[in-house]
Amino acid sequence: MQGRVLIIAGSDSGGGAGIQADIKTVTALGGFAMTAITALTAQNTLGVDGIAEVAPEFIVKQIDMVLTDIGADAIKIGMLHRREVVDAVAGYFDAIEDLPPVVLDPVMIAKGGTSLIANDASEAIKNRLIGPHTHLLTPNIPEAEQLTGLTIATRQDMEKAGRRLLDYGPVAVLMKGGHAEGEEVTDLLISPQGVEVFTHPRIHSRHTHGTGCTLSSAIATGLAQGLSASDAVGRAIRYVEIAIREAPGFGAGHGPLDHAHTVAPFNPRAS
């Protein structure tokens, strides 16, 4: 087990996304997962039926308890939901001198279309988290459009939006192309050093719930294990690709991935 990853995100009762997907991903890639839960959701593969908030001060207490004892080699941030939560997390980070790499997945809309963020929280994410504290930002196309106000229809649009997001202050931006059209998916890793292109075949499947959570946690695990951003992204994309291909087929809607495709079942007779 290598790489301590603190996950700050919401819980998915259906197990396909959020904290549940994050823990599975980090574990499947050989890391150690820790959590600060920001919200509880009642959801399944058909959609989100309710969100229960967690008090910002208790979210910070979870973060502090982990970092002051176990520590972290990387932090993944997912669903923050409210401005008060964004401000509380950012305020805690402001006081830390040696913050580990932060992978920020700006979770805004659930797979079924439900909004997972209050209107004023996206501005707070831009101003309080993306610039000062984010190592790698991982928006999909709708999230990048919401954060930049740009319309994204082509690869050139993706690069333009990614550079706009880079101007906000993160070290790098991974523009995810899964929402674009075509038989290939193109993701762009954009940094001041240039643009790296990751292209892979599109898998036509309804079992894609939690792909964004899974990808960002896989990247955070790679960074925690000492991989470069490029290598962490490349491994994470391949991990998600296989997880979609081998999805178990659960649920009547957007089903979960197979996060455990790297794991061999335990055989007590072999011990």
Side-chain angles (χ1 to χ4, degrees):
M1 183 177 290
Q2 178 188 1
R4 302 162 297 172
V5 182
L6 170 60
I7 304 150
I8 305 171
S11 169
D12 171 6
S13 58
I19 285 284
Q20 287 80 354
D22 299 326
I23 294 173
K24 294 172 191 175
T25 299
V26 173
T27 303
L29 293 174
F32 180 71
M34 305 157 288
T35 65
I37 297 176
T38 61
L40 306 176
T41 68
Q43 65 175 295
N44 54 26
T45 67
L46 297 173
V48 179
D49 194 51
I51 300 174
E53 299 173 350
V54 176
E57 59 270 20
F58 190 74
I59 296 169
V60 170
K61 182 178 286 292
Q62 295 175 77
I63 297 169
D64 185 65
M65 292 295 287
V66 169
L67 293 183
T68 56
D69 176 33
I70 302 170
D73 301 301
I75 296 173
K76 176 264 173 77
I77 300 178
M79 176 184 176
L80 295 182
H81 187 48
R82 295 180 294 139
R83 183 185 184 97
E84 295 85 351
V85 173
V86 177
D87 287 339
V89 172
Y92 182 85
F93 285 174
D94 287 343
I96 298 178
E97 288 188 10
D98 296 316
L99 193 68
V102 173
V103 177
L104 174 57
D105 181 25
V107 177
M108 295 179 174
I109 302 171
K111 186 71 69 178
T114 302
S115 176
L116 296 175
I117 190 169
N119 290 333
D120 60 349
S122 60
E123 282 299 314
I125 288 173
K126 283 198 296 186
N127 298 327
R128 300 284 282 118
L129 280 176
I130 292 179
H133 300 303
T134 299
H135 186 89
L136 179 63
L137 181 68
T138 64
N140 59 32
I141 287 175
E143 290 161 350
E145 288 180 330
Q146 186 166 338
L147 288 169
T148 63
L150 299 174
T151 298
I152 302 172
T154 66
R155 174 176 158 179
Q156 289 72 28
D157 294 337
M158 288 176 61
E159 184 171 343
K160 180 179 179 181
R163 292 193 181 281
R164 174 78 59 86
L165 291 169
L166 197 63
D167 288 341
Y168 295 163
V171 176
V173 176
L174 179 66
M175 288 291 299
K176 299 181 295 189
H179 286 76
E181 299 293 330
E183 290 303 308
E184 287 189 326
V185 176
T186 298
D187 303 317
L188 305 178
L189 179 60
I190 301 171
S191 72
Q193 289 71 46
V195 179
E196 185 170 359
V197 180
F198 297 85
T199 302
H200 43 102
R202 183 180 300 278
I203 301 171
H204 294 280
S205 172
R206 65 180 175 87
H207 301 290
T208 57
H209 183 50
T211 49
C213 303
T214 300
L215 182 69
S216 56
S217 286
I219 295 169
T221 306
L223 295 177
Q225 294 169 337
L227 297 182
S228 67
S230 176
D231 289 344
V233 168
R235 185 181 75 166
I237 289 173
R238 181 59 177 154
Y239 170 77
V240 172
E241 183 181 12
I242 298 172
I244 296 172
R245 195 182 305 277
E246 300 188 4
F250 298 152
H254 298 288
L257 316 181
D258 177 9
H259 293 93
H261 66 78
T262 63
V263 181
F266 174 62
N267 181 1
R269 295 182 180 179
S271 301

